[in-house]
Each structure stands twice: as structure tokens, then as C-alpha cells.
Amino acid sequence: MADVGPTITPAEMADLVESLGTIGEQPGGGIIRHVYDPAWCAAREQVATWMREASLEVREDAVGNLFGRLEGDSPRTILTGSHIDTVILGGRYDGGLGILSALAAVRGLKQHLGKPRKSLEMVALCEEEDSRFHGNFWGTRGILGLIGPEELEAHTDANGMTIADAMREVGLAPDRFRDSVRTDLDAFVELHIEQGRILFDEHVPLGIVDTITGLYRFRVTLEGRTDHAGTTPMDLRRDALQAAAEFATRMTRLVADVGRPAVVTNGWWDVRPGAWNIVPGHVEFSVDLRHPDEAIKQRLAADIRQLGQDIAAQRGIAIAYDIASDVLPMAMHPSIKAELQAAADRCNVKWMPMVSGAGHDSQVMASGVPTAMLFVPSVDGRSHSAAEYTSPEDAARGATVLAEALRGLAY
Ligand code: HGY
Ligand code: MN
Ligand code: MN
């Protein structure tokens, strides 16, 4: 048997990235591929075509995860892949590169080594980004049986469509969501772009993730009083936007004072009624708080909530919090991590251990399946932006190590 797996070339990765990256790309740049939307369907069809061309067994599960399977002597399965959906105006690599690397690795192993000992499967996970519905990690939670039946009608998009109806629109049967559960998975390996700048600054071509950060997301609603912008004295106002601005600024300072890797982001705002000449009476905005230590994450969340209540009380504003997600930090599986480290060493690729500041399917998958992640560099650390870029050379190096790791796990 070959002593290492197939070598994936920069040209192969560049072609794949170019082909997938144009699907959902907007005229001004950036990709919109939200779960179950037309671009999402087109991207999956393209991946399914590549899977069929590689003579993999192609299957879609009940929530829309797309699998390409190489049957082994054993039905126990090694799974690799990432998510096919994007953030709004996202880049070509977040999620997509993990799917394309999995494709290049699995088809390369099939060509070079034929039938594996354990079955080897690639997956385009249907949703990770929480972009259209707040059903974060929908694909992975379908696989692990972590979707609650009430979610099918509870999650709605900006147009009020339920996730169940969006599933029906693309031919899925939401009431069969439980059919997505898998019990045959012995390992999950996800290649992903770092989305930060550590590898780029350190000139290291590969990261192997130790821990993925915890995420705590909630909506803040502030209710003040709409008033006339011209006749209402400043000292008599109950201006919801001023309360929100003070809250956002002070929570940012609170988290910045904790220091790296604590981060907090107020990504979206909704100011009502939204007119030049009306004092805003109603503001909603998002809080995305992250820390790789669960106790620190929870303490910061409590401190932020208290700060908001103090500001609202001082300003005579009503405040409410709706928790959108509270995801644990997750350590990667030691033996799968060791497989990745050994594969990188056999491929003579320099790597470094990392903590992921981004959330990933792997942090949920790891709660039910031995899981580990490979990172490849993001130029200038840019991501969740049309400026996202990973060189074909770095992409090919990562895919080659992925293939070698899969060889070690499945052959
Ligand atoms: O938000 C994240 O970290 C991931 O990209 N969904
Ligand atoms: Mn992302
Ligand atoms: Mn991602």
C-alpha cells in the first residue's frame, strides 16, 4: 500500500473553488447561499455532479445534507466535509473549501487505493451560518438527532416563512427530519479556513484545532418612547437608540478589558420607527459573545446582561433579552487530532495547534462523534467578506493532509 495518500494539486483546488464560488456570487462581489434558497440548491447540484463523476454513492438526507459515499469492507463510516451555506455576502472559502477538499481527497483516495477498510463519506452540510433561520448547525444537529420537533415551525426567515415550508419548497419532508440521524460514524474530520490571521502572520501552512470557542448569542430589545425630534427637550427623552448605543459601547469596553480571546459583536440593529424627525422609541440589536472557557463566557454574559439592566433603569427604558444560542466550547478528540498530526508529519507539512475563534459544525458534531479540524491560512485573516482568500497552494496542502489523514483512518 502507498505510504501516503494522493497529492492534491493547487490547480485542482483552484478550479473547484472557482466553479463553486461563482454560485450565488452577487454583482458587487460576495456570495449569498442561504439554506434552501435557489443558490443553495444550485451549489448542491454542482457538488452532487462532482460526486457522481467520482462514482461515489450520492444521497440526500431528510434535512438536506448531501453525502457522497465510498463503500468499504465495513459499514462503519469516516465522514469529512463542511457546510455549503454562506453568510450574507460571504466569501468563497468559508465552508466551501471543506467540501471541496473532502471531494478532492475522497476521489483521490478512490483512484489511488480503491475500496477502503471503513466506508469513507464526504458531506455538504446543509446549514451552519444561522443566516436565514436561527436554527444554527441545522445539518449537524439533524445527523446527531439534536433537532427539536417544535423548531420546524418555530424558525422563520425575514419573510415569515417557516423552515418547514422552506424544506418543502425544495422537495424535503420536514416531518421526516428524524431520518437524518446517523449511528454509523466513527470519526468526522473538517477542513476549514482559519478565518483569523494567526497562520498567515506566523507563515505556518496548517493549523490543527485543540478547542473551538463557545458562542453566546442573544437579541436585546429596548423600549423607550417615540417623541417629536424638534420639540422634545433632551432631558425629557426616553431615547431607545441612545440607550442602545451606550449599552453597545460599554459592553464592548467591558469585553475588550478582559483581553483576547474574549470577543463581542453587535452585528445587526433595527431602529424604529426610523425617521429623521422622530426620537427612536424601539431598538433591537444582536449580541454575539465568545470565549473558549465556558465559565468565563457565562460570567461575561451575566455581566453584560446586568450592565444593560442598569443602563435601562437609569434612562427609564424597558429592556428584554431573547437568547438565540448558547453553544459550549468544545475540545477536539485526542485520537483523531493525533491522526491529523501524524498525517501532516508524513506529508512534511508544518503545523501548529490552535484555538478556533470561529464556530463550526465540528463543535456540535464532536458532542456525538470523535471529531477534529484542520485549518488552512486566510490571507490577512479576512473572512465573512468577499475579500476572503486562501491560496491554491495552501488549499492543496491542506487537502493533501486531509487525504492522508483519511487514508490512515479508513484504509
Ligand atoms: O459565526 C461563526 O463563527 C461561524 O462562521 N458560523
Ligand atoms: Mn462562517
Ligand atoms: Mn464556516
Side-chain angles (χ1 to χ4, degrees):
M1 171 138 60
D3 56 0
V4 285
T7 299
I8 315 294
T9 65
E12 180 178 0
M13 293 311 295
D15 288 349
L16 290 171
V17 166
E18 177 64 27
S19 302
L20 185 65
T22 54
I23 302 175
E25 197 153 70
Q26 303 302 300
I31 298 173
I32 300 180
R33 274 201 313 255
H34 290 167
V35 68
Y36 309 131
D37 79 4
W40 177 91
C41 293
R44 277 189 354 139
E45 197 35 55
Q46 172 61 76
V47 173
T49 300
W50 282 324
M51 289 174 172
R52 282 190 287 269
E53 288 168 352
S55 305
L56 300 178
E57 181 193 326
V58 182
R59 180 180 68 87
E60 166 187 76
D61 74 5
V63 295
N65 294 315
L66 180 70
F67 298 92
R69 183 175 178 85
L70 175 58
E71 197 64 39
D73 300 326
S74 158
R76 299 300 302 173
T77 303
I78 306 298
L79 184 67
T80 182
S82 192
H83 59 94
I84 198 160
D85 67 314
T86 69
V87 293
I88 187 164
L89 298 180
R92 289 186 162 189
Y93 299 83
D94 179 359
L97 193 64
I99 295 168
L100 298 174
S101 304
L103 172 71
V106 171
R107 70 184 184 187
L109 286 164
K110 182 175 187 298
Q111 282 159 10
H112 283 67
L113 299 177
K115 187 172 188 175
R117 182 172 45 82
K118 284 189 177 180
S119 297
L120 184 55
E121 208 161 330
M122 67 168 287
V123 62
L125 293 163
C126 67
E127 185 281 341
E128 186 273 346
E129 292 289 4
D130 212 40
S131 295
R132 180 180 177 189
F133 299 99
H134 293 310
N136 216 188
F137 307 114
W138 191 247
T140 297
R141 293 196 294 124
I143 289 170
L144 294 179
L146 298 177
I147 289 177
E150 75 290 347
E151 293 189 67
L152 294 165
E153 300 300 329
H155 297 310
T156 56
D157 67 9
N159 301 318
M161 178 178 272
T162 65
I163 198 165
D165 283 341
M167 292 170 76
R168 290 185 189 98
E169 261 196 351
V170 295
L172 295 170
D175 50 347
R176 288 190 37 238
F177 73 95
R178 291 183 184 83
D179 295 354
S180 300
V181 175
R182 301 279 299 259
T183 55
D184 61 326
L185 302 178
D186 280 353
F188 177 63
V189 180
E190 181 176 12
L191 182 146
H192 203 286
I193 53 172
E194 179 199 336
Q195 299 182 289
R197 57 176 309 137
I198 295 169
L199 293 174
F200 178 73
D201 288 341
E202 299 291 329
H203 304 291
V204 173
L206 194 73
I208 297 179
V209 176
D210 284 325
T211 303
I212 302 173
T213 194
L215 294 82
Y216 186 92
R217 287 178 179 159
F218 61 100
R219 171 198 303 261
V220 179
T221 302
L222 291 159
E223 206 66 59
R225 192 183 64 203
T226 53
D227 273 314
H228 194 295
T231 57
T232 311
M234 297 307 280
D235 59 311
L236 296 183
R237 296 180 176 204
R238 287 168 49 211
D239 184 333
L241 181 60
Q242 293 307 313
E246 179 184 355
F247 186 16
T249 304
R250 289 178 58 186
M251 84 166 73
T252 300
R253 197 173 311 125
L254 184 154
V255 172
D257 288 349
V258 170
R260 297 182 182 184
V263 287
V264 69
T265 309
N266 307 124
W268 61 260
W269 292 67
D270 183 10
V271 181
R272 305 280 170 90
W276 291 88
N277 56 0
I278 306 175
V279 175
H282 177 98
V283 173
E284 295 178 28
F285 68 96
S286 65
V287 179
D288 175 312
L289 170 70
R290 306 188 188 198
H291 200 285
D293 178 303
E294 180 61 9
I296 296 174
K297 186 193 87 180
Q298 293 299 341
R299 180 175 57 73
L300 282 173
D303 291 350
I304 289 171
R305 287 198 303 267
Q306 186 57 54
L307 171 63
Q309 274 145 10
D310 296 348
I311 291 170
Q314 286 154 14
R315 289 174 172 266
I317 302 269
I319 189 166
Y321 302 129
D322 297 297
I323 298 198
S325 56
D326 187 356
V327 181
L328 286 171
M330 184 60 80
M332 297 291 92
H333 194 281
S335 66
I336 311 301
K337 230 175 29 174
E339 287 282 347
L340 301 188
Q341 292 160 358
D345 294 344
R346 290 196 297 272
C347 294
N348 298 316
V349 174
K350 187 166 181 263
W351 59 274
M352 61 185 285
M354 304 195 73
V355 172
S356 174
H360 297 288
D361 285 297
S362 287
Q363 77 190 99
V364 179
M365 191 71 84
S367 64
V369 179
T371 294
M373 287 193 82
L374 288 172
F375 273 179
V376 292
S378 295
V379 171
D380 287 330
R382 300 295 308 280
S383 182
H384 282 187
S385 153
E388 194 174 271
Y389 182 71
T390 294
S391 72
E393 292 70 25
D394 281 337
R397 206 175 283 117
T400 299
V401 173
L402 175 65
E404 174 55 14
L406 296 173
R407 184 185 72 88
L409 286 163
Y411 283 82

